[in-house]
Amino acid sequence: MARTGRPREFDKERTLERALELFWSRGYGATSIQDLVDALAVERGSLYGAFGDKRRFYLEAVRLYWQVYERHLTAALDTSPLLPALREILTHPVRLDELVSDLGAPQGCLIGNTTAELVPQDGEATEIVTRSYRRFTDIVAAALRRAQAAGEVTDTGSPEAQAQLLLYIVQGLSLVSRAGLDRAAALAAVDAAVDGLRA
Amino acid sequence: MARTGRPREFDKERTLERALELFWSRGYGATSIQDLVDALAVERGSLYGAFGDKRRFYLEAVRLYWQVYERHLTAALDTSPLLPALREILTHPVRLDELVSDLGAPQGCLIGNTTAELVPQDGEATEIVTRSYRRFTDIVAAALRRAQAAGEVTDTGSPEAQAQLLLYIVQGLSLVSRAGLDRAAALAAVDAAVDGLRA
DNA sequence: CGACTTCTTGACTGGACGTTCAAGAAGTCG
DNA sequence: CGACTTCTTGAACGTCCAGTCAAGAAGTCG
């Protein structure tokens, strides 16, 4: 039952966070183990020892990404009125691009990127992104239900359908933004969407 | 000025179309030259001779894809009332999934896939997808402008903003669909979007 | 026919990549 | 201290892949 041995010299959690950034900016296929070794200053064998192979490492990073995003989403939407907060959520990709606009900066949404690159070939990746999309719509639909009850949001559509539509919009915006972002056009589009929800 | 020599034994245009299908279903990185050789029944050297390297081959396929899509889009939206046609366009990914649901079937929108995989690293790919997005919004905005004038579509938003929003919705739907399609939810979301445009 | 051009074929090359492994280092426990 | 466990390091391995090339085949043109 000995749990002793030489202690790890790097911070596993912090290393995962930095790997997440790398995977986020370059994608799964375009990030080589060598890239990770260089960027994380951890040797190959140590990475394999701590995280298993490349695929498991990546999936772990994706899980962490969603965990952080979901926390942010839940906190942001727990407010009234809802629509300004929703606007913030939808324009998140735009503001991300404002903050870190150098090359190697995070690109789009990691869940969306994973969907494009690994789904549906990879079953585990598919499971993660499917669950993430599901949680997004659940959280947003719940918030919309409250806002409909409060008379802030139109009830001409079901909260579920509205939430599904909002998922498409965030993911579409994240994706299209990679090709260059016309901020004014993006904000106008998001405003049009949010206005469509107003009661 | 001799343009003679041994004639090509395969149909270049048809080969490009079949390569398009392969790239569409597997993506750029995951499609090897060997896959193309096997699927197209054309030897490596001949492919290189006819299309240049893999990247040029792929970009040519993407150009062809957009060319076909744009023709379809323009034709479909040249109608009145506009909203039913728009609904058709938006649900295109859903119906694609209905038609060809075997593995190896086209996945999402090739422009969107290219955006996720090659943009912004590849300048030429970025140029192609940027132009495609631009043309999509131009064509859709023009149609919306006509429909606004006809009183079919609300003029609370500019046609440009509405078109940009619709671009996000198609791309988002295409992407999210890869993870499995809940047709009812997708159609409800699209209907919510189209209803939001009604005057 | 014979010179010329282009296409076909498939073996070959060089490099990049994910993964493994053996030897040594750094701790803990009795 | 000595046995034991885990981590570190970096070289090595096997695989796969994009791209090249030389030799031959199949046409055209004078």
mmCIF file of all heavy atoms in Angstrom, chain A residues 121-141:
data_model
loop_
_atom_site.group_PDB
_atom_site.id
_atom_site.type_symbol
_atom_site.label_atom_id
_atom_site.label_comp_id
_atom_site.label_asym_id
_atom_site.label_seq_id
_atom_site.Cartn_x
_atom_site.Cartn_y
_atom_site.Cartn_z
ATOM 1 N N GLN A 121 -15.609 10.669 -35.158
ATOM 2 C CA GLN A 121 -14.692 9.519 -35.151
ATOM 3 C C GLN A 121 -14.399 9.010 -33.746
ATOM 4 O O GLN A 121 -14.404 7.822 -33.496
ATOM 5 C CB GLN A 121 -13.364 9.867 -35.847
ATOM 6 C CG GLN A 121 -13.412 9.808 -37.364
ATOM 7 C CD GLN A 121 -14.075 11.021 -37.982
ATOM 8 O OE1 GLN A 121 -14.262 12.025 -37.314
ATOM 9 N NE2 GLN A 121 -14.441 10.927 -39.245
ATOM 10 N N ASP A 122 -14.098 9.956 -32.851
ATOM 11 C CA ASP A 122 -13.682 9.583 -31.503
ATOM 12 C C ASP A 122 -14.888 9.536 -30.558
ATOM 13 O O ASP A 122 -15.508 10.552 -30.265
ATOM 14 C CB ASP A 122 -12.648 10.599 -31.008
ATOM 15 C CG ASP A 122 -12.062 10.190 -29.672
ATOM 16 O OD1 ASP A 122 -12.836 9.953 -28.731
ATOM 17 O OD2 ASP A 122 -10.832 10.099 -29.565
ATOM 18 N N GLY A 123 -15.171 8.349 -30.069
ATOM 19 C CA GLY A 123 -16.356 8.166 -29.246
ATOM 20 C C GLY A 123 -16.322 8.952 -27.945
ATOM 21 O O GLY A 123 -17.320 9.567 -27.551
ATOM 22 N N GLU A 124 -15.176 8.967 -27.301
ATOM 23 C CA GLU A 124 -15.087 9.656 -26.009
ATOM 24 C C GLU A 124 -15.210 11.171 -26.208
ATOM 25 O O GLU A 124 -15.873 11.860 -25.437
ATOM 26 C CB GLU A 124 -13.759 9.306 -25.337
ATOM 27 C CG GLU A 124 -13.772 9.498 -23.842
ATOM 28 C CD GLU A 124 -12.548 8.850 -23.188
ATOM 29 O OE1 GLU A 124 -11.899 7.994 -23.841
ATOM 30 O OE2 GLU A 124 -12.236 9.205 -22.038
ATOM 31 N N ALA A 125 -14.573 11.671 -27.251
ATOM 32 C CA ALA A 125 -14.692 13.100 -27.559
ATOM 33 C C ALA A 125 -16.144 13.447 -27.869
ATOM 34 O O ALA A 125 -16.670 14.471 -27.413
ATOM 35 C CB ALA A 125 -13.799 13.461 -28.743
ATOM 36 N N THR A 126 -16.796 12.586 -28.618
ATOM 37 C CA THR A 126 -18.198 12.825 -28.951
ATOM 38 C C THR A 126 -19.041 12.902 -27.687
ATOM 39 O O THR A 126 -19.904 13.783 -27.550
ATOM 40 C CB THR A 126 -18.723 11.690 -29.855
ATOM 41 O OG1 THR A 126 -17.916 11.613 -31.029
ATOM 42 C CG2 THR A 126 -20.164 11.941 -30.255
ATOM 43 N N GLU A 127 -18.754 12.015 -26.762
ATOM 44 C CA GLU A 127 -19.509 12.007 -25.511
ATOM 45 C C GLU A 127 -19.311 13.325 -24.746
ATOM 46 O O GLU A 127 -20.267 13.914 -24.248
ATOM 47 C CB GLU A 127 -19.038 10.822 -24.674
ATOM 48 C CG GLU A 127 -19.878 10.556 -23.442
ATOM 49 C CD GLU A 127 -19.187 9.523 -22.548
ATOM 50 O OE1 GLU A 127 -18.547 8.606 -23.107
ATOM 51 O OE2 GLU A 127 -19.286 9.661 -21.318
ATOM 52 N N ILE A 128 -18.066 13.781 -24.706
ATOM 53 C CA ILE A 128 -17.786 15.019 -23.960
ATOM 54 C C ILE A 128 -18.490 16.209 -24.597
ATOM 55 O O ILE A 128 -19.147 17.009 -23.920
ATOM 56 C CB ILE A 128 -16.264 15.276 -23.895
ATOM 57 C CG1 ILE A 128 -15.581 14.192 -23.074
ATOM 58 C CG2 ILE A 128 -15.979 16.649 -23.299
ATOM 59 C CD1 ILE A 128 -14.066 14.270 -23.095
ATOM 60 N N VAL A 129 -18.381 16.353 -25.892
ATOM 61 C CA VAL A 129 -18.982 17.537 -26.509
ATOM 62 C C VAL A 129 -20.508 17.440 -26.485
ATOM 63 O O VAL A 129 -21.187 18.447 -26.272
ATOM 64 C CB VAL A 129 -18.484 17.786 -27.950
ATOM 65 C CG1 VAL A 129 -16.969 17.735 -28.025
ATOM 66 C CG2 VAL A 129 -19.081 16.845 -28.933
ATOM 67 N N THR A 130 -21.031 16.236 -26.668
ATOM 68 C CA THR A 130 -22.486 16.096 -26.603
ATOM 69 C C THR A 130 -22.999 16.518 -25.228
ATOM 70 O O THR A 130 -23.967 17.275 -25.110
ATOM 71 C CB THR A 130 -22.888 14.630 -26.875
ATOM 72 O OG1 THR A 130 -22.405 14.235 -28.143
ATOM 73 C CG2 THR A 130 -24.400 14.484 -26.839
ATOM 74 N N ARG A 131 -22.317 16.046 -24.197
ATOM 75 C CA ARG A 131 -22.744 16.408 -22.848
ATOM 76 C C ARG A 131 -22.609 17.923 -22.628
ATOM 77 O O ARG A 131 -23.478 18.563 -22.029
ATOM 78 C CB ARG A 131 -21.921 15.643 -21.813
ATOM 79 C CG ARG A 131 -22.466 15.810 -20.396
ATOM 80 C CD ARG A 131 -21.695 14.973 -19.395
ATOM 81 N NE ARG A 131 -20.273 15.282 -19.413
ATOM 82 C CZ ARG A 131 -19.308 14.388 -19.572
ATOM 83 N NH1 ARG A 131 -19.624 13.119 -19.745
ATOM 84 N NH2 ARG A 131 -18.042 14.751 -19.574
ATOM 85 N N SER A 132 -21.543 18.494 -23.152
ATOM 86 C CA SER A 132 -21.337 19.932 -22.970
ATOM 87 C C SER A 132 -22.450 20.728 -23.645
ATOM 88 O O SER A 132 -23.002 21.676 -23.059
ATOM 89 C CB SER A 132 -19.983 20.346 -23.537
ATOM 90 O OG SER A 132 -18.944 19.631 -22.896
ATOM 91 N N TYR A 133 -22.776 20.347 -24.878
ATOM 92 C CA TYR A 133 -23.858 21.053 -25.573
ATOM 93 C C TYR A 133 -25.156 20.912 -24.793
ATOM 94 O O TYR A 133 -25.923 21.877 -24.641
ATOM 95 C CB TYR A 133 -24.030 20.479 -26.987
ATOM 96 C CG TYR A 133 -22.890 20.819 -27.927
ATOM 97 C CD1 TYR A 133 -22.471 19.921 -28.904
ATOM 98 C CD2 TYR A 133 -22.230 22.049 -27.841
ATOM 99 C CE1 TYR A 133 -21.427 20.229 -29.771
ATOM 100 C CE2 TYR A 133 -21.187 22.358 -28.700
ATOM 101 C CZ TYR A 133 -20.783 21.440 -29.670
ATOM 102 O OH TYR A 133 -19.757 21.749 -30.519
ATOM 103 N N ARG A 134 -25.390 19.716 -24.302
ATOM 104 C CA ARG A 134 -26.600 19.461 -23.552
ATOM 105 C C ARG A 134 -26.671 20.347 -22.304
ATOM 106 O O ARG A 134 -27.703 20.943 -21.991
ATOM 107 C CB ARG A 134 -26.650 17.978 -23.163
ATOM 108 C CG ARG A 134 -27.890 17.595 -22.397
ATOM 109 C CD ARG A 134 -29.127 17.947 -23.237
ATOM 110 N NE ARG A 134 -30.343 17.754 -22.483
ATOM 111 C CZ ARG A 134 -31.055 16.625 -22.504
ATOM 112 N NH1 ARG A 134 -30.646 15.618 -23.239
ATOM 113 N NH2 ARG A 134 -32.153 16.527 -21.791
ATOM 114 N N ARG A 135 -25.562 20.461 -21.610
ATOM 115 C CA ARG A 135 -25.564 21.274 -20.389
ATOM 116 C C ARG A 135 -25.739 22.742 -20.736
ATOM 117 O O ARG A 135 -26.410 23.491 -20.024
ATOM 118 C CB ARG A 135 -24.284 21.045 -19.596
ATOM 119 C CG ARG A 135 -24.148 19.605 -19.124
ATOM 120 C CD ARG A 135 -23.050 19.473 -18.096
ATOM 121 N NE ARG A 135 -23.441 20.036 -16.822
ATOM 122 C CZ ARG A 135 -23.607 19.339 -15.706
ATOM 123 N NH1 ARG A 135 -23.407 18.048 -15.707
ATOM 124 N NH2 ARG A 135 -23.952 19.942 -14.591
ATOM 125 N N PHE A 136 -25.135 23.161 -21.821
ATOM 126 C CA PHE A 136 -25.317 24.560 -22.245
ATOM 127 C C PHE A 136 -26.793 24.849 -22.456
ATOM 128 O O PHE A 136 -27.334 25.810 -21.905
ATOM 129 C CB PHE A 136 -24.545 24.831 -23.539
ATOM 130 C CG PHE A 136 -24.692 26.245 -24.058
ATOM 131 C CD1 PHE A 136 -23.781 27.236 -23.713
ATOM 132 C CD2 PHE A 136 -25.758 26.589 -24.887
ATOM 133 C CE1 PHE A 136 -23.935 28.542 -24.184
ATOM 134 C CE2 PHE A 136 -25.915 27.891 -25.362
ATOM 135 C CZ PHE A 136 -24.994 28.864 -25.010
ATOM 136 N N THR A 137 -27.454 24.016 -23.238
ATOM 137 C CA THR A 137 -28.868 24.291 -23.520
ATOM 138 C C THR A 137 -29.716 24.146 -22.256
ATOM 139 O O THR A 137 -30.663 24.909 -22.063
ATOM 140 C CB THR A 137 -29.404 23.364 -24.625
ATOM 141 O OG1 THR A 137 -29.138 22.008 -24.300
ATOM 142 C CG2 THR A 137 -28.757 23.683 -25.964
ATOM 143 N N ASP A 138 -29.366 23.219 -21.400
ATOM 144 C CA ASP A 138 -30.134 23.081 -20.157
ATOM 145 C C ASP A 138 -30.030 24.344 -19.305
ATOM 146 O O ASP A 138 -31.033 24.856 -18.797
ATOM 147 C CB ASP A 138 -29.629 21.874 -19.353
ATOM 148 C CG ASP A 138 -30.145 20.556 -19.918
ATOM 149 O OD1 ASP A 138 -31.010 20.598 -20.824
ATOM 150 O OD2 ASP A 138 -29.690 19.492 -19.458
ATOM 151 N N ILE A 139 -28.814 24.826 -19.160
ATOM 152 C CA ILE A 139 -28.604 26.001 -18.308
ATOM 153 C C ILE A 139 -29.279 27.226 -18.912
ATOM 154 O O ILE A 139 -29.968 27.993 -18.225
ATOM 155 C CB ILE A 139 -27.086 26.258 -18.123
ATOM 156 C CG1 ILE A 139 -26.473 25.137 -17.276
ATOM 157 C CG2 ILE A 139 -26.840 27.621 -17.508
ATOM 158 C CD1 ILE A 139 -24.958 25.093 -17.308
ATOM 159 N N VAL A 140 -29.101 27.397 -20.220
ATOM 160 C CA VAL A 140 -29.681 28.573 -20.873
ATOM 161 C C VAL A 140 -31.211 28.474 -20.886
ATOM 162 O O VAL A 140 -31.917 29.466 -20.651
ATOM 163 C CB VAL A 140 -29.130 28.728 -22.303
ATOM 164 C CG1 VAL A 140 -29.855 29.827 -23.054
ATOM 165 C CG2 VAL A 140 -27.631 29.011 -22.257
ATOM 166 N N ALA A 141 -31.734 27.286 -21.127
ATOM 167 C CA ALA A 141 -33.189 27.122 -21.161
ATOM 168 C C ALA A 141 -33.794 27.432 -19.791
ATOM 169 O O ALA A 141 -34.855 28.074 -19.701
ATOM 170 C CB ALA A 141 -33.551 25.702 -21.601
#
